[in-house]
Amino acid sequence: AQKITQTQPGMFVQEKEAVTLDCTYDTSDPSYGLFWYKQPSSGEMIFLIYQGSYDQQNATEGRYSLNFQKARKSANLVISASQLGDSAMYFCAMRDPKGGNNRLAFGKGNQVVVIP
Amino acid sequence: GAVVSQHPSRVICKSGTSVKIECRSLDFQATTMFWYRQFPKQSLMLMATSNEGSKATYEQGVEKDKFLINHASLTLSTLTVTSAHPEDSSFYICSADGTYEPGNTQYFGPGTRLTVL
């Protein structure tokens, strides 16, 4: 069974600084997809960034970038120039290719609080 | 693009009543939608996978007769919590499969907070 691990405790980040959120995963399948979602206090899940297992380059999307280290099975999210609106829970997820129907497995999440 | 709506956003009901939650993909067609449940300060728990025109696939431990799912069209899936009880109070959130998106990205609705008195 696949597993997503997010173990960092809640994080306080100074506004305008960068923050890295750790995510490690475990799968025996060579083809998989990794996702990061943001969940603010309102509850909605906002898609941030995607990394495919065969992608040669690390994914980037505006202030979000993914530090993908395949051999170490890690997919850390980097948020640059933090803003107050970045305060939220952040979930790492992996698509289960064997489960069919594009199921996602989620980590437990990282809490980020941006302070002015 | 890739907008998913969910209605209602919040519902309070009496124990024993049924509650229907709608999930719509507004600007794309979704053959597959997913229903999750989330308890406070926890991650999302997949309840069921909803496929257009066929029966939903429920996760282990989820009561099919309790949580009825219907996916009648490519843009609409509904979750009905039948004979709701206080233990069913939770945050329910749906997602839609963006088949043509990189990685088949799932896009989520804003969620429904259910409180059963």
Side-chain angles (χ1 to χ4, degrees):
Chain A
Q2 57 176 226
K3 183 179 177 181
I4 308 296
T5 303
Q6 295 177 262
T7 57
Q8 288 167 303
M11 304 174 68
F12 289 91
V13 183
Q14 198 74 40
E15 193 177 10
K16 300 181 183 178
E17 291 188 349
V19 59
T20 298
L21 306 181
D22 296 339
C23 173
T24 58
Y25 58 92
D26 185 25
T27 181
S28 58
D29 199 296
S31 177
Y32 52 88
L34 296 158
F35 304 81
W36 277 92
Y37 288 87
K38 170 185 177 182
Q39 187 178 41
S41 58
S42 59
E44 60 186 315
M45 291 283 284
I46 303 167
F47 166 68
L48 297 178
I49 197 167
Y50 162 77
Q51 179 84 46
S53 60
Y54 293 120
D55 292 344
Q56 295 296 313
Q57 294 186 336
N58 287 344
T60 61
E61 195 69 49
R63 293 186 299 111
Y64 305 106
S65 61
L66 204 151
N67 184 2
F68 181 46
Q69 299 186 43
K70 194 171 183 177
R72 297 179 60 183
K73 294 188 176 180
S74 73
N76 299 341
L77 176 70
V78 180
I79 306 173
S80 62
S82 297
Q83 302 172 356
L84 295 179
D86 294 335
S87 296
M89 280 290 288
Y90 290 82
F91 291 95
C92 178
M94 180 164 65
R95 188 186 72 231
D96 177 2
K98 291 183 178 178
N101 284 326
N102 192 26
R103 295 171 66 203
L104 286 179
F106 283 88
K108 293 186 176 181
N110 296 106
Q111 179 73 55
V112 173
V113 176
V114 181
I115 53 178
Chain B
V3 179
V4 177
S5 71
Q6 198 171 329
H7 180 80
S9 59
R10 187 179 297 268
V11 59
I12 302 173
C13 69
K14 293 183 178 180
S15 184
T17 60
S18 294
V19 175
K20 179 184 282 188
I21 303 170
E22 292 187 349
C23 178
R24 293 180 185 272
S25 56
L26 297 184
D27 52 0
F28 66 103
Q29 293 182 330
T31 55
T32 305
M33 291 184 174
F34 303 85
W35 287 95
Y36 296 85
R37 183 173 181 177
Q38 186 179 31
F39 292 103
K41 300 189 183 301
Q42 293 190 23
S43 188
L44 278 69
M45 180 186 75
L46 180 64
M47 298 174 65
T49 301
S50 168
N51 293 297
E52 187 266 336
S54 63
K55 292 182 178 180
T57 303
Y58 289 81
E59 295 300 302
Q60 191 173 9
V62 178
E63 298 177 59
K64 300 178 182 181
D65 296 331
K66 176 74 169 177
F67 300 99
L68 298 178
I69 291 172
N70 182 272
H71 194 155
S73 76
L74 287 172
T75 59
L76 173 64
S77 176
T78 60
L79 168 68
T80 301
V81 183
T82 62
S83 186
H85 291 284
E87 58 265 29
D88 299 324
S89 298
S90 189
F91 186 67
Y92 294 88
I93 190 166
C94 70
S95 70
D97 179 9
T99 307
Y100 302 106
E101 297 289 327
N104 288 0
T105 301
Q106 286 185 27
Y107 292 95
F108 285 79
T112 297
R113 196 163 302 279
L114 171 64
T115 303
V116 185
L117 302 176

